[in-house]
Amino acid sequence: MATNTAKKIEFVWEGKDPQGQKIKGRMEGQNADLIKAQLRRKGITPLRVRKHSTSFMSTPGGKIKTGDIAVFARQLATMMSAGVPLVQAFDIIGQGHENKHMRELIMSVKADIEGGTNLGDSLAKHPEHFDDLFCNLVAAGEASGTLDRLLDKIATYKEKTEQIKAKIKKAMMYPTAVIVVAFIVTSILLIFVVPQFEALFASVGGDLPAFTKLVVNISEIMQDYWYIVFGVLIAASFLFVNLKKKSKRFSDMLDRMSLKLPIVGQILHKAATARFARTLSTMSAAGVPLVEAMESVARASGNVVFYNAVMQMKDEAASGQRLQTSMQRSGLFPNMVVQMVAIGEESGSLDDMLAKVADFYEEEVDNAVDGLTSLLEPLIMAFLGVVIGGLVIAMYLPIFKMGEAFT
């Protein structure tokens, strides 16, 4: 027996209720005609029915970057502090945004607010862009009447975390880009330049130096199997990226290994500590209870080791354990951080103490990344000199040898 397996599509509709008032909403169905029929059965006269565009949310993040969300948070905080009504603020920000997908996202949230949904619930419909922390703080601000103040805290939090991410990405991208360029240049030399020298050496005759023979042999392999070499590298890169995205086990293994790397591991550890402190400080200042805040803090840490430790701390906090004791037991946090938290718990100023910890470790990350970049620059130059210079020397050694034979 055949079954109807047609995929349901989300539609946005506008219509009039029995009293003649304009209303709007969303509904899932197989096509626009069926949506109109359902609306009529509910006593609603449909005026317009269209597919809800989700192209800008097709993948986590899509074409909307986390930096766009940080800028949006700051713009909204500024306008709310200036007394601009919420719907008008969304209209101003949305119409003035250059990113089409971000503009669609903002206007979608605005439409929900106009339909009577509060801001926290409207943002929660887009979890790939607005995380639990963002939505929870907005909801707390709406409930307490301090939305402008909490939006300012959210904006500051987003800006700080984005700065750390940008610093770490910069430190990682520089050597990666140089190594990729070095590989491409070396491949070009081996495939196109070395064969020219090889033909010259063959016409002259004589034995080649061992180093030159090695380079010529590598060149011959690259000429015959370059597509296999490039194919394997591209496939390996693609597999690595996909495993990291889709395999939690593989991603968790990378997180654990990354913290054990020399120099880089220390930077990632400090960055995770800074994110932990900044997130918990922001949520504590907003009045979110510690146990409720810990799950958002765990997700914001950006590393599975910290995530597991914070979730364990959450369970211990729920059973009445002090945060200081749980942090000390985890073994992840430096003594200074533990002591600052202890002082904050004793004095009732945990959010202030954690903010100071976050400031300190964010500056530590900045300094460590700058130091790493300064260290990598001469090492990378030396690496390029050895690789490219080695090829050049290998090609000129026979020429020097021939020159000595003629003198």
Side-chain angles (χ1 to χ4, degrees):
M1 181 177 177
T3 57
N4 186 5
T5 58
K7 184 179 178 182
K8 288 189 175 182
I9 303 168
E10 187 175 16
F11 289 86
V12 177
W13 58 266
E14 294 179 14
K16 289 185 178 181
D17 64 13
Q19 288 73 40
Q21 297 293 322
K22 280 192 175 183
I23 56 175
K24 60 178 67 175
R26 296 180 187 178
M27 188 180 292
E28 285 189 348
Q30 294 174 6
N31 57 57
D33 291 335
L34 289 175
I35 295 295
K36 289 177 181 178
Q38 290 181 52
L39 290 172
R40 290 191 186 98
R41 283 197 292 270
K42 293 180 179 181
I44 299 170
T45 304
L47 299 176
R48 188 172 69 154
V49 177
R50 60 182 175 83
K51 288 182 181 179
H52 176 53
S53 176
T54 56
S55 60
F56 61 95
M57 297 183 293
S58 57
T59 57
K63 294 184 179 180
I64 299 175
K65 299 178 182 177
T66 50
D68 293 328
I69 302 299
V71 172
F72 162 75
R74 173 56 64 196
Q75 289 174 325
L76 188 59
T78 302
M79 290 193 179
M80 290 295 292
S81 299
V84 179
L86 185 60
V87 173
Q88 187 179 349
F90 267 88
D91 195 47
I92 294 169
I93 297 169
Q95 295 298 336
H97 214 290
E98 295 180 358
N99 186 330
K100 175 189 173 184
H101 304 290
M102 188 67 191
R103 186 165 60 249
E104 289 176 359
L105 174 62
I106 293 169
M107 300 313 288
S108 173
V109 175
K110 177 200 167 192
D112 286 336
I113 295 170
E114 287 177 325
T117 308
N118 60 43
L119 179 57
D121 291 340
S122 300
L123 296 176
K125 292 181 180 179
H126 311 279
E128 61 272 40
H129 303 300
F130 301 104
D131 54 22
D132 289 343
L133 182 145
F134 200 118
C135 298
N136 290 342
L137 290 183
V138 166
E142 287 181 303
S144 62
T146 58
L147 184 58
D148 56 340
R149 186 170 64 84
L150 285 181
L151 280 170
D152 182 69
K153 288 185 178 295
I154 293 170
T156 301
Y157 165 78
K158 287 288 184 183
E159 288 163 356
K160 293 284 187 181
T161 51
E162 282 304 304
Q163 285 172 8
I164 292 181
K165 287 180 184 177
K167 277 279 185 180
I168 294 175
K169 283 180 181 178
K170 179 183 175 183
M172 297 297 105
M173 284 298 294
Y174 177 64
T176 303
V178 171
I179 290 171
V180 170
V181 171
F183 176 77
I184 293 172
V185 171
T186 303
S187 300
I188 291 172
L189 290 174
L190 289 171
I191 296 170
F192 298 105
V193 178
V194 172
Q196 304 301 320
F197 281 90
E198 186 182 1
L200 173 64
F201 301 150
S203 65
V204 175
D207 292 331
L208 297 175
F211 186 37
T212 305
K213 284 182 180 179
L214 174 64
V215 172
V216 168
N217 290 335
I218 295 173
S219 173
E220 289 174 352
I221 293 171
M222 283 296 292
Q223 291 173 61
D224 294 336
Y225 304 106
W226 65 268
Y227 54 92
I228 296 177
V229 174
F230 278 90
V232 168
L233 287 174
I234 293 170
S237 301
F238 181 78
L239 180 63
F240 177 85
V241 172
N242 272 270
L243 278 174
K244 191 175 186 305
K245 285 182 179 179
K246 298 178 180 179
S247 172
K248 186 177 184 303
R249 186 175 178 182
F250 183 74
S251 179
D252 291 351
M253 182 191 71
L254 288 179
D255 280 351
R256 293 187 181 95
M257 289 175 59
S258 64
L259 292 179
K260 296 177 182 178
L261 293 173
I263 304 176
V264 174
Q266 294 178 9
I267 295 175
L268 295 176
H269 195 285
K270 289 176 180 178
T273 302
R275 282 195 294 268
F276 166 85
R278 180 67 63 192
T279 308
L280 188 53
S281 169
T282 303
M283 299 200 77
S284 179
V288 180
L290 180 62
V291 176
E292 293 181 20
M294 292 303 274
E295 189 163 351
S296 295
V297 174
R299 289 176 181 170
S301 63
N303 188 285
V304 70
V305 177
F306 276 81
Y307 176 85
N308 293 336
V310 175
M311 292 304 289
Q312 178 64 33
M313 289 158 56
K314 174 194 172 185
D315 294 338
E316 292 176 358
S319 64
Q321 190 76 256
R322 292 183 63 184
L323 180 60
Q324 169 208 357
T325 308
S326 300
M327 291 175 65
Q328 199 164 27
R329 189 180 289 116
S330 72
L332 282 175
F333 299 95
N335 186 58
M336 186 269 280
V337 178
V338 176
Q339 293 305 317
M340 291 284 280
V341 167
I343 295 169
E345 286 185 304
E346 291 290 341
S347 62
S349 57
L350 183 60
D351 53 336
D352 289 336
M353 289 299 174
L354 285 168
K356 293 181 188 299
V357 169
D359 289 338
F360 174 79
Y361 276 96
E362 284 162 0
E363 188 174 350
E364 283 280 295
V365 170
D366 285 347
N367 294 335
V369 169
D370 290 339
L372 178 62
T373 305
S374 300
L375 175 66
L376 285 175
E377 284 178 357
L379 291 177
I380 289 172
M381 291 302 105
F383 170 76
L384 290 176
V386 169
V387 174
I388 308 299
L391 289 175
V392 173
I393 291 171
M395 292 301 97
Y396 278 95
L397 275 177
I399 297 174
F400 296 150
K401 189 175 179 182
M402 284 186 288
E404 290 176 359
F406 286 117
T407 56

